[in-house]
Amino acid sequence: MNISRIQNKTPRLSRRHFLYLAGIGSLSLATGCATHPVTGQRQFMLMSESQEIELDKENSPHQISADYGVVQDKNLQDYVSGVGRDMASRSHRPDMPYSFNTLNATYINAYAFPGGTIGVSRGILLELQDEAELASLIGHELGHVNARHTAQRMTRGMLAQVVFTGAAAAAGPQWENVVAGLGGIGTGALLASYSRNQEREADELGLEYMARADYNPEGFVGLMEMLKDMSGEDRGSLEMLFSTHPMSSERYQTAVNRVRTDYQKNSKPLYRERYMDNTARLRQIKQAVQDMQEGDDLMRAKKPGEAGEKYSSALQAAPEDYVANLKMSKYLLSRDNNSQARKYASEAREIYPEEPQAMHILGMAWLRQEKFEQSLAEFSRYQERLPGNPNTLFFQGYSYEGMGRRNQAAEKYYAFLQQVNQGDKAQHAYNRLKEWGYI
Ligand SMILES: [Zn+2]
């Protein structure tokens, strides 16, 4: 079997996730009517608060690792987290287990899981102008959590559909997750596509929370202007942001009108200087972040030669950057330059030993070189650090198979098939189990 052929197939929704969604109807026994935390009205809701938290806990660590973990710049992480916590305490659900994560990822995005895990990428932090804009962005994400938008979508059965198309859509532009065998974890789907009404509600709440936290509401207008301007651009780094949070001129106008009518002549601060101070170290490598974004765009446009140059110059500007090293490694994997890929993945692991993605990439590079003992060691380390990704089971099985250890391989393949029953990996696992007489 050709391992790169298997990896490059579109990942499918895992069976466990599908069963969870398909079985959502049975949850109605446990829940039913709930009071909307914002409006106070009764609404039909199939998901309880503890289920929202559970779903978050199960999925958000995978998304955060796919986004290269939380930044190692502790000052920046504490700063963003402080802004978030202050607003969360003034929100409609102050007791949710919030966490505010400044993500290493270079694309321009922010998201919220239903239990209160919120992510803000380095890419979007570089676009913001002041703390009031940051508060507006986080406020909007808090709005999605407070109005229970994920639970609403699941209740209305909208998410099952979104999950199927969403998982496939994510695999297209996210070439790197596919080449790394990380695709198909399906968490992106949880975040996919809020409705226009939900976006409007999240905007309203975001504005309310940032104003409660004593920021100048003009910051909200600043954020909306930035989003409106960017929504016209064709950049891969913006794709996720706008496919999850749809932008429109109507959304922009609604928000601006609200600021103008409800918050006239507000002289509160925007905290531009404080924002600039706290993001100074990040802005020092702005060029490297842009190079990585452009490299990703070029990969998307199938111009790998030029992409490679961009990743090189990113590395030159920021040799100690975890993402720059890992992106280079994944780029080299896509070019079948596996020994060099290994070098950069090892470097990345040394830079950020707690973040598991590098282990997975390193495992993949060893696997491509048919060094199965080494690949198994890396996948097992990854599995220990971040359990729950079915792909790891497959690659552990594949490593065992390469080592000629059938029993162990069969065990892993079987466990993989418990969770995934479609796609080339599942086909391979099934064929082996049959061939070896296990089924
Ligand atoms: Zn949104």
Side-chain angles (χ1 to χ4, degrees):
M1 177 189 71
N2 179 343
I3 190 72
S4 47
R5 192 181 62 84
I6 279 198
Q7 289 164 230
N8 289 327
K9 283 286 172 172
T10 306
R12 298 288 160 87
L13 182 68
S14 81
R15 184 165 164 270
R16 188 170 52 103
H17 203 154
F18 173 74
L19 290 178
Y20 177 77
L21 291 168
I24 199 89
S26 61
L27 295 177
S28 58
L29 291 173
T31 50
C33 242
T35 305
H36 191 292
V38 174
T39 61
Q41 287 170 349
R42 302 289 287 167
Q43 63 174 353
F44 183 59
M45 194 64 95
L46 294 181
M47 237 190 153
S48 68
E49 185 168 297
S50 60
Q51 284 167 331
E52 287 178 283
I53 293 168
E54 191 51 40
L55 195 64
D56 184 323
K57 243 172 53 188
E58 206 178 284
N59 289 281
S60 61
H62 293 279
Q63 184 63 43
I64 289 174
S65 181
D67 284 326
Y68 304 90
V70 170
V71 290
Q72 290 169 284
D73 179 346
K74 195 176 173 305
N75 171 64
L76 181 61
Q77 166 60 19
D78 288 350
Y79 170 65
V80 171
S81 180
V83 171
R85 283 189 189 289
D86 182 32
M87 278 190 295
S89 69
R90 304 161 196 254
S91 70
H92 294 88
R93 300 173 91 188
D95 297 326
M96 291 296 279
Y98 293 104
S99 77
F100 299 91
N101 305 276
T102 305
L103 307 164
N104 259 321
T106 52
Y107 69 159
I108 296 165
N109 200 15
Y111 52 70
F113 279 89
T117 300
I118 287 174
V120 179
S121 74
R122 288 196 298 183
I124 202 164
L125 286 179
L126 283 168
E127 304 286 336
L128 300 173
Q129 298 301 318
D130 51 53
E131 194 176 300
E133 288 186 5
L134 173 63
S136 305
L137 178 71
I138 297 178
H140 174 97
E141 299 302 331
L142 281 171
H144 284 307
V145 177
N146 276 269
R148 306 190 68 195
H149 286 161
T150 303
Q152 270 178 12
R153 284 181 300 152
M154 287 196 131
T155 299
R156 292 179 195 156
M158 286 156 65
L159 203 53
Q161 263 182 327
V162 171
V163 169
F164 279 111
T165 52
Q174 288 182 337
W175 65 271
E176 44 178 315
N177 286 350
V178 177
V179 83
L182 280 166
I185 50 180
T187 59
L190 259 184
L191 310 169
S193 266
Y194 294 108
S195 71
R196 274 167 194 269
N197 277 336
Q198 290 179 327
E199 278 305 280
R200 201 174 302 120
E201 190 173 27
D203 281 345
E204 250 172 63
L205 290 169
L207 175 58
E208 187 178 335
Y209 298 155
M210 66 89 78
R212 281 187 198 177
D214 275 339
Y215 291 102
N216 190 325
E218 279 303 317
F220 204 89
V221 175
L223 175 70
M224 285 293 134
E225 252 156 33
M226 175 191 116
L227 292 174
K228 184 175 65 109
D229 289 348
M230 289 195 309
S231 66
E233 296 172 30
D234 179 31
R235 286 156 70 190
S237 56
L238 290 166
E239 216 168 274
M240 282 304 273
L241 177 67
F242 291 122
S243 69
T244 50
H245 304 282
M247 190 60 200
S248 63
S249 52
E250 182 240 333
R251 189 185 150 195
Y252 167 77
Q253 210 48 58
T254 307
V256 172
N257 289 345
R258 188 168 290 269
V259 171
R260 300 281 182 258
T261 52
D262 293 1
Y263 300 95
Q264 274 175 347
K265 297 269 178 258
N266 190 305
S267 58
K268 284 178 180 155
L270 293 165
Y271 297 108
R272 180 176 166 84
E273 222 167 296
R274 196 158 78 190
Y275 185 78
M276 289 300 159
D277 284 348
N278 281 288
T279 53
R281 271 175 70 190
L282 171 59
R283 276 180 297 108
Q284 275 171 10
I285 58 158
K286 185 169 185 172
Q287 187 56 51
V289 170
Q290 280 171 356
D291 284 340
M292 286 186 255
Q293 292 173 350
E294 284 168 33
D296 293 347
D297 275 349
L298 289 161
M299 283 303 280
R300 185 164 154 260
K302 300 207 164 36
K303 293 180 182 162
E306 292 165 58
E309 283 166 30
K310 288 289 176 191
Y311 293 133
S312 289
S313 69
L315 257 180
Q316 247 165 20
E320 297 286 290
D321 193 73
Y322 179 67
V323 184
N325 279 277
L326 267 192
K327 274 195 191 279
M328 179 55 96
S329 177
K330 290 192 244 187
Y331 166 74
L332 291 164
L333 274 182
S334 80
R335 310 303 295 153
D336 250 328
N337 187 344
N338 300 314
S339 61
Q340 283 296 307
R342 215 176 71 211
K343 189 186 130 207
Y344 287 104
S346 305
E347 187 64 34
R349 194 174 59 175
E350 248 168 66
I351 292 169
Y352 199 168
E354 305 84 28
E355 211 301 301
Q357 190 186 144
M359 301 167 195
H360 199 287
I361 308 303
L362 205 46
M364 201 55 76
W366 283 118
L367 196 71
R368 294 277 197 91
Q369 295 186 292
E370 303 193 341
K371 303 280 191 201
F372 298 114
E373 269 170 51
Q374 288 90 333
S375 65
L376 178 66
E378 293 303 332
F379 288 125
S380 300
R381 237 168 253 159
Y382 175 87
Q383 166 86 351
E384 210 172 284
R385 183 75 188 73
L386 186 59
N389 183 348
N391 293 308
T392 317
L393 295 170
F394 177 82
F395 291 121
Q396 283 176 317
Y398 195 82
S399 302
Y400 277 124
E401 185 186 340
M403 290 156 73
R405 291 165 66 174
R406 270 191 194 179
N407 275 336
Q408 286 96 332
E411 224 172 85
K412 295 293 180 188
Y413 284 154
Y414 187 78
F416 173 72
L417 288 171
Q418 298 293 300
Q419 297 187 41
V420 182
N421 62 2
Q422 284 185 78
D424 275 16
K425 287 197 202 79
Q427 193 62 52
H428 176 88
Y430 180 80
N431 288 348
R432 287 298 178 271
L433 289 179
K434 209 167 168 190
E435 217 174 287
W436 297 338
Y438 288 97
I439 46 175

